Amino acid sequence: MAKKKLQQTEEKCALQEILGVIGGKWSMSIIYALFTGKKRFSELERLIPNISTRMLVKELKNMEANGIVIRKVFATVPPTVEYTLTTKGEKLEPIINELHKWGVEYVI
Amino acid sequence: MAKKKLQQTEEKCALQEILGVIGGKWSMSIIYALFTGKKRFSELERLIPNISTRMLVKELKNMEANGIVIRKVFATVPPTVEYTLTTKGEKLEPIINELHKWGVEYVI
DNA sequence: CAGTATCCTGCATGATACTG
DNA sequence: CAGTATCATGCAGGATACTG
């Protein structure tokens, strides 16, 4: 939204906008976990060390609102919820993978 | 440092470590600005809209400590300081460029 | 010019307990 | 299982004034 208004600033602030979408402390880890396919809520909690329930919920909601993930609910007892990457989210795979490689080589 | 100790967790936490280095609100914008070559402090301030002096100093220090940028001081009056990317920092160019493209296509 | 030094604020994050 | 609700807190980040 507000595409027109953003046009002047988009070059300068694109990176800032992006951080609003995937700049959260856990966003990339969640996306990274979803590269290997759909995951249930509890699976994500187990896959991502030290993340709190609250943060996982929050980031997932934010990412869903931003069209990065899809939330699918199954009317089972107990409830089942699956999270999947959207196409938009999948496009991040090579980028995050490269970033990860960079980190492993230079940061760790 | 602490390469050995990190080995168990490096796979899981690499992305977290990376965010400590380039996850700051302005880090990527600064790196992005430096892709086009060395910049003086005031140039960076002008190139990056809305960044405060305090934050620019802070991020630059952090990035210097992490081997992303080089700070070169010239004993002139008034003082001249130039910031350049290290090789390690330059390796981020394709990654950040791709991320930027992704943002322009999907976020803006 | 290239910073330092303070003060200040809100939000991001965490911990814990509870629920349909 | 997949969350919600609440409380608590630190520090990221901003504003402003000053300096070698």
Side-chain angles (χ1 to χ4, degrees):
Chain A
M1 33 93 174
K3 258 205 174 180
K4 252 309 152 29
K5 188 169 183 199
L6 280 169
Q7 271 188 349
Q8 317 146 334
T9 42
E10 74 176 42
E11 265 312 314
K12 298 174 169 184
C13 297
L15 289 168
Q16 308 283 93
E17 298 275 339
I18 292 165
L19 288 186
V21 178
I22 55 157
K25 184 175 176 184
W26 304 100
S27 305
M28 289 205 194
S29 300
I30 296 171
I31 299 172
Y32 195 82
L34 290 175
F35 285 157
T36 54
K38 65 183 174 199
K39 298 279 179 298
R40 298 183 60 174
F41 187 87
S42 52
E43 286 184 284
L44 289 172
E45 255 184 327
R46 264 183 291 109
L47 285 170
I48 304 166
N50 302 326
I51 195 170
S52 64
T53 306
R54 185 173 165 280
M55 274 304 110
L56 182 53
V57 174
K58 244 189 144 183
E59 300 266 38
L60 282 170
K61 271 187 181 160
N62 181 46
M63 294 168 76
E64 192 193 3
N66 283 292
I68 307 280
V69 301
I70 295 163
R71 179 173 180 271
K72 214 173 277 179
V73 187
F74 299 90
T76 54
V77 178
T80 303
V81 182
E82 275 176 8
Y83 291 91
T84 330
L85 285 178
T86 61
T87 310
K88 175 175 168 182
E90 283 170 352
K91 302 262 183 178
L92 288 168
E93 180 157 8
I95 301 174
I96 294 184
N97 277 149
E98 283 305 306
L99 193 60
H100 186 268
K101 279 204 293 191
W102 179 89
V104 169
E105 181 163 0
Y106 290 107
V107 179
I108 306 288
Chain B
M1 29 87 176
K3 258 205 178 190
K4 254 304 151 39
K5 190 171 182 194
L6 279 168
Q7 269 187 349
Q8 316 147 333
T9 41
E10 75 176 41
E11 265 312 313
K12 299 173 169 184
C13 297
L15 290 167
Q16 308 283 93
E17 299 275 340
I18 292 165
L19 288 186
V21 179
I22 56 157
K25 184 176 177 184
W26 304 101
S27 304
M28 288 205 194
S29 299
I30 297 171
I31 298 172
Y32 195 81
L34 291 174
F35 285 156
T36 54
K38 65 184 174 199
K39 298 278 179 298
R40 298 183 59 174
F41 186 87
S42 52
E43 286 184 284
L44 289 172
E45 253 183 329
R46 262 183 294 108
L47 286 170
I48 304 167
N50 302 327
I51 195 171
S52 64
T53 306
R54 184 174 166 279
M55 274 303 110
L56 183 53
V57 174
K58 244 188 144 182
E59 301 265 36
L60 282 170
K61 270 186 182 161
N62 181 44
M63 294 167 75
E64 192 193 2
N66 282 293
I68 306 281
V69 302
I70 295 164
R71 180 172 178 271
K72 213 174 276 176
V73 188
F74 299 90
T76 55
V77 178
T80 303
V81 182
E82 275 177 9
Y83 291 91
T84 330
L85 286 178
T86 61
T87 310
K88 173 175 169 182
E90 282 170 353
K91 302 264 184 179
L92 288 168
E93 182 157 7
I95 301 174
I96 294 184
N97 277 147
E98 283 305 306
L99 193 60
H100 186 268
K101 279 204 292 190
W102 179 88
V104 170
E105 181 163 0
Y106 290 106
V107 179
I108 306 287

